[in-house]
Amino acid sequence: MKTYTLVVPCHFGLEAVLKKEIYDLGYEIDRVEDGRVTFLGDAEAICRANIFLRTAERILVQVGRFRAVTFEELFEGIKSLPWEEYIPADGKFWVKKAASIKSKLFSQSDIQSIAKKAVVERLKQRYQVDWFLEDGAPYPIRIFLFKDEVTVTLDTSGDSLHKRGYRTMTSKAPLTETLAAALLMLTPWRPDRILVDPFCGSGTFPIEAAMMAAGIAPGMNREFTAEQWTNFIDRKLWYACIEEAQELVTPNVDVDIQGYDIDADVIKAARENAQRAGVGHLIHFQQRPVAQLRHPKKYGFLVTNPPYGERISNIEEMPKLYREIGEVYRKLDAWSMYLITGYEDAERYIGRKADKNRKIYNGMLKTYFYQFMGEKPPKRRNA
């Protein structure tokens, strides 16, 4: 089976988490760059990556990579690529997106237009036609320029992979599913430990944790553009990968996962999202302010995305809120706390410096992932 170079974008700063996921799926890493990991795999790998990777934004098949500093070089470079190996004569193809960073060619619209013409010229020569109806399967092209190196890809995913299909309603400042999954993977949390999110919003942290605990693959219940690419990905591969995913599900796993929010409507939406994700029975959601958070057990985890004054009117409320977070955390016995926030004074009002702090971009917002480590539970003795 043919091997492809697969380019996988992710949240900037979380490449190591995605890299481990790809390794765990059994594939060889080709390179790691800012915001993306490239690996080698066959047609089955395209299916499995879309279905199983929790922290990937999308799966791209690399058609080619070359250097270009003029539009003529861009045109010739794209025209020289083997498009006929990917796009059939009736394929619908367009340049979905072009991005350019630190490159001489920077006009996205010009890059898109020239790239489309180059692909058309290549396929006209190969298929001996003057006109393409483009009434077949869709083949969206994505092009990325970085320091004049051009990476040309086909998008196998379609909608971004953070769209698992369970979240139809969101809170005012939602955390994407892929970012929530990556942050959970950065913690030592495991399904046999308590997890509480006191600002759960639409339920993303609890739902992603429950899906991990139950072994539910993130892409099990959605569609992908490449399912229509029967010219080089057999549909049977998709069926086989979904069957593999279904066999790994443990729906009645024993967990203690809780989500709280002060807004009753938001809690209602979170419950509905959890039901759609197939984990409603694994999470306890409740309307409750953070100040009322208590738990009698030791060694639990607070993992949360609290408000951080995104709107000017809320800034004056932040010191009081983060003091409450600190007070609640100090009353929990040997717990760890992981919170992502853009609030610069979080540690000051929580009343403790974080053991670790990681800068992460949530969309265009600069945020910090503060990690407060609790005691580790004693190791269990083997019977």
Side-chain angles (χ1 to χ4, degrees):
M1 196 175 282
K2 182 177 176 179
T3 298
Y4 301 94
T5 299
L6 304 177
V7 182
V8 188
C10 64
H11 276 275
F12 184 84
L14 296 172
E15 299 84 2
V17 184
L18 174 58
K19 179 181 173 182
K20 183 179 186 304
E21 269 205 287
I22 293 169
Y23 269 136
D24 289 347
L25 267 187
Y27 299 110
E28 178 186 341
I29 302 294
D30 184 51
R31 64 164 83 182
V32 179
E33 300 161 286
D34 287 345
R36 56 182 174 162
V37 178
T38 301
F39 76 100
L40 306 175
D42 56 16
E44 183 186 58
I46 295 172
C47 306
R48 295 185 75 232
N50 273 297
I51 291 166
F52 287 102
L53 291 179
R54 298 184 188 277
T55 63
E57 293 301 310
R58 57 184 69 249
I59 311 301
L60 308 171
V61 175
Q62 181 176 296
V63 181
R65 199 164 183 152
F66 58 89
R67 181 176 169 79
V69 295
T70 67
F71 284 119
E72 184 179 354
E73 288 176 343
L74 178 69
F75 180 88
E76 292 300 330
I78 290 176
K79 185 182 173 185
S80 71
L81 300 176
W83 291 103
E84 66 280 359
E85 295 179 11
Y86 301 94
I87 303 175
D90 67 344
K92 178 184 177 182
F93 56 97
W94 71 103
V95 183
K96 175 80 172 178
K97 186 176 182 182
S100 177
I101 299 173
K102 299 179 181 176
S103 299
K104 291 182 177 64
L105 303 179
F106 57 84
S107 169
Q108 295 181 15
S109 59
D110 287 339
I111 293 167
Q112 287 174 292
S113 175
I114 288 166
K116 169 76 177 189
K117 289 175 184 174
V119 179
V120 168
E121 285 303 309
R122 171 77 182 204
L123 294 181
K124 279 168 67 174
Q125 292 175 3
R126 290 300 185 271
Y127 292 128
Q128 298 293 300
V129 296
D130 293 322
W131 182 257
F132 293 97
L133 290 174
E134 297 194 51
D135 57 356
Y139 293 81
I141 299 165
R142 288 178 177 260
I143 299 174
F144 178 63
L145 283 76
F146 180 66
K147 293 183 177 178
D148 301 320
E149 185 178 52
V150 185
T151 303
V152 185
T153 67
L154 283 169
D155 183 0
T156 74
S157 303
D159 286 340
S160 172
L161 294 179
H162 80 265
K163 295 184 178 180
R164 318 287 206 214
Y166 66 73
R167 195 166 73 171
T168 59
M169 293 182 64
T170 63
S171 56
K172 292 175 184 176
L175 195 72
T176 67
E177 294 86 331
T178 46
L179 179 54
L183 296 178
L184 283 166
M185 289 179 183
L186 282 174
T187 77
W189 176 78
R190 294 294 178 268
D192 62 345
R193 305 277 291 277
I194 304 154
L195 187 143
V196 177
D197 181 355
F199 301 94
C200 73
S202 55
T204 313
F205 269 134
I207 292 170
E208 289 295 317
M211 288 176 69
M212 290 179 192
I216 298 173
M220 272 181 65
N221 299 308
R222 55 159 285 171
E223 296 178 344
F224 308 98
T225 295
E227 289 179 68
Q228 301 173 64
W229 297 359
T230 53
N231 57 316
F232 71 97
I233 304 178
D234 193 321
R235 283 197 70 85
K236 291 178 182 175
L237 290 175
W238 293 101
Y239 300 142
C241 291
I242 289 294
E243 190 175 323
E244 176 190 359
Q246 289 170 340
E247 289 174 355
L248 294 172
V249 175
T250 309
N252 295 317
V253 63
D254 185 19
V255 291
D256 186 348
I257 299 173
Q258 302 173 30
Y260 303 114
D261 201 280
I262 200 167
D263 188 323
D265 290 335
V266 165
I267 285 293
K268 181 175 181 289
R271 286 196 184 105
E272 292 170 357
N273 290 339
Q275 289 295 335
R276 274 188 293 273
V279 294
H281 61 296
L282 298 178
I283 307 169
H284 173 68
F285 286 111
Q286 187 177 339
Q287 182 186 4
R288 179 191 289 187
V290 65
Q292 293 180 15
L293 175 60
R294 303 283 187 276
H295 203 293
K297 294 183 180 177
K298 298 179 70 170
Y299 310 119
F301 285 78
L302 282 182
V303 183
T304 192
N305 175 33
Y308 39 90
E310 309 95 302
R311 292 173 293 281
I312 298 297
S313 60
N314 292 349
I315 290 176
E316 65 272 13
E317 301 170 12
M318 292 302 103
K320 177 177 182 292
L321 178 67
Y322 281 80
R323 281 195 194 99
E324 285 182 345
I325 293 171
E327 288 166 8
V328 162
Y329 177 53
R330 282 188 287 277
K331 291 174 184 175
L332 294 167
D333 192 356
W335 280 47
S336 298
M337 178 168 69
Y338 296 79
L339 82 174
I340 179 171
T341 177
Y343 186 50
E344 300 277 353
D345 290 326
E347 290 171 301
R348 174 185 171 189
Y349 291 109
I350 286 171
R352 172 180 162 183
K353 187 171 177 58
D355 297 294
K356 289 184 180 179
N357 179 13
R358 195 179 188 123
K359 188 189 295 182
I360 291 168
Y361 280 87
N362 182 9
M364 298 303 292
L365 290 172
K366 182 174 72 172
T367 61
Y368 302 91
F369 190 46
Y370 294 105
Q371 302 166 60
F372 301 86
M373 312 296 192
E375 293 176 38
K376 293 181 181 179
K379 289 185 178 179
R380 294 176 182 172
R381 293 180 180 176
N382 293 327

